[in-house]
Amino acid sequence: MTVHDPILAAAQRARATIPDDTAMLRAAAELTRDYSVANPRIYWPDMLGSALIGWAAMAGAIVAENMAIAIVCGLVAMMALYRAASFIHELTHIRKGALPGFRFGWNLIVGIPLMIPSFLYEGVHTQHHARTRYGTAEDPEYLPLALMKPWSLPLFILVASLAPVGLILRFGLLTPLSLILPPLRRKVVAELSALSINPAYRRRAPEGDFARMWGWQEAGACLFALALVGSVFVFGWKPLLVYMTIHSAMTVVNQLRTLVAHLWENEGDPMTVTAQYLDSVNVPPPGALPELWAPVGLRYHALHHLLPSVPYHALGQAHARLIATLDVDSPYHRGNYPGMVPLVGKIARSTMGAR
């Protein structure tokens, strides 16, 4: 998409080349050195507890005869499984050997049953953090949404609502077909094997240990997708429809969270680290709701772009330390916002501007 207004285009280029604020970057690196270790006593109970509550609540929604009880169970299941699923983001940043068995456990309990095995994100999300790729055409997780047409935002959410259907087709149909049709396999790997929002993104074929990990995760998701379809003949339509409704709602919440994770105002120019930070969003306390729609540290998304290796449970402490230390005119303070609604409104107004 090209912005035709020369004044707006010049303003965007100026934002992309904002000089790096050395005081902020130095403070972020020095003040948070104590927060770099992932704590398994936090990760495991949080992930397992969220998954247990989520699957139990989904079972309650399936067996409940009372509609009100079913709806409450469905909402609990959606939020709990959304939190459990959000650990896929942590998997892409955890240092090798830091949490033995966590990747396997998450995939077995959450990733495969939700048909979002971690290979869909690992090796993809780190490209979003590459300084020379962020906000460019090579970034798999970036589109200039704030500069697109007004209908692009509803479409962005609608696509997310169809995720469970797409995932069943991806793993239940295309995976087995692609194993016997090499041209289809190449297309599936390149275009249908990444949790990305950039439609132009193409993924390379996996190699070595990652290829083996990809293989068992994809096989598991394929078997689960086929089992979901087959369950209709054994249990009827209700379990599948409840599962898909909860999955769809969970994905829509995540897409709304993605919509406000950045300002989406860059049109493809390489950006300085400070510019990337200012194009990203923190939604810190005192608000409590962001902990529900941006769980597992995602409410500190801008800070995460400064310090991608800091585990989710330490981001709140790191943020508090930076707020207390940095001057009031530091760009760090400009990355903090009060909530989702003002951010959605900001992006929506931007899409309605003149082009």
Side-chain angles (χ1 to χ4, degrees):
M1 191 217 70
T2 301
V3 174
H4 299 292
D5 185 328
I7 297 176
L8 185 57
Q12 290 163 10
R13 286 192 294 272
R15 283 197 296 269
T17 56
I18 292 171
D20 275 324
D21 188 277
T22 55
M24 178 181 73
L25 300 182
R26 187 183 303 113
E30 293 177 353
L31 293 174
T32 60
R33 286 174 181 167
D34 298 337
Y35 302 135
S36 62
V37 179
N39 188 341
R41 289 176 293 182
I42 296 177
Y43 273 83
W44 279 105
D46 194 345
M47 186 272 287
L48 291 174
S50 298
L52 177 62
I53 292 170
W55 294 123
M58 181 182 289
I62 292 171
V63 303
E65 298 292 339
N66 183 284
M67 181 60 70
I69 294 175
I71 291 173
V72 170
C73 286
L75 288 172
V76 172
M78 183 268 289
M79 295 308 300
L81 289 175
Y82 173 46
R83 183 176 184 86
S86 296
F87 278 91
I88 194 173
H89 179 255
E90 290 295 300
L91 288 175
T92 67
H93 293 288
I94 293 172
R95 293 186 179 91
K96 187 176 181 179
L99 294 171
F102 191 81
R103 176 175 285 100
F104 178 80
W106 181 88
N107 276 289
L108 194 65
I109 298 167
V110 180
I112 288 174
L114 288 175
M115 296 178 294
I116 51 168
S118 63
F119 81 82
L120 293 174
Y121 210 46
E122 295 188 82
V124 176
H125 179 64
T126 49
Q127 296 177 43
H128 175 58
H129 281 274
R131 176 174 177 174
T132 56
R133 287 194 182 215
Y134 176 90
T136 70
E138 296 183 347
D139 186 341
E141 296 181 41
Y142 199 97
L143 286 174
L145 293 170
L147 310 178
M148 299 175 81
K149 300 296 184 181
W151 51 260
S152 62
L153 299 188
L155 180 62
F156 189 67
I157 304 304
L158 176 63
V159 169
S161 71
L162 300 175
V165 176
L167 290 169
I168 288 175
L169 292 174
R170 162 62 177 87
F171 289 109
L173 179 63
L174 295 181
T175 288
L177 279 180
S178 70
L179 295 179
I180 58 176
L181 298 172
L184 177 60
R185 183 62 186 171
R186 289 192 290 272
K187 185 176 182 64
V188 166
V189 169
E191 301 179 29
L192 299 172
S193 296
L195 293 176
S196 62
I197 65 172
N198 181 354
Y201 177 69
R202 297 295 180 267
R203 190 169 194 182
R204 293 182 180 179
E207 299 177 348
D209 291 340
F210 186 68
R212 287 184 285 274
M213 185 182 76
W214 177 319
W216 75 257
Q217 290 179 14
E218 186 170 9
C222 175
L223 291 174
F224 189 86
L226 293 173
L228 273 179
V229 175
S231 70
V232 173
F233 301 99
V234 180
F235 303 109
W237 284 97
K238 185 179 180 182
L240 177 61
L241 292 177
V242 170
Y243 170 91
M244 293 182 71
T245 300
I246 291 171
H247 198 311
S248 177
M250 179 190 79
T251 311
V252 166
V253 172
N254 183 64
Q255 197 79 327
L256 285 168
R257 193 271 314 165
T258 300
L259 184 62
V260 299
H262 297 287
L263 300 184
W264 309 106
E265 294 177 342
N266 190 56
E267 204 189 5
D269 296 317
M271 304 175 74
T272 64
V273 174
T274 298
Q276 292 177 27
Y277 171 81
L278 291 174
D279 189 51
S280 305
V281 170
N282 289 330
V283 192
L289 282 179
E291 190 58 36
L292 296 178
W293 57 260
V296 193
L298 292 172
R299 68 185 303 169
Y300 297 106
H301 198 75
L303 175 56
H304 170 67
H305 270 266
L306 285 183
L307 302 167
S309 63
V310 172
Y312 81 99
H313 55 75
L315 286 172
Q317 296 168 284
H319 171 77
R321 182 175 287 190
L322 288 170
I323 285 290
T325 302
L326 292 169
D327 294 336
V328 292
D329 59 348
S330 170
Y332 186 80
H333 299 285
R334 302 206 303 272
N336 301 307
Y337 296 83
M340 178 186 286
V341 174
L343 288 163
V344 172
K346 184 179 188 302
I347 294 174
R349 287 191 299 273
S350 180
T351 63
M352 298 175 188
R355 296 285 182 267

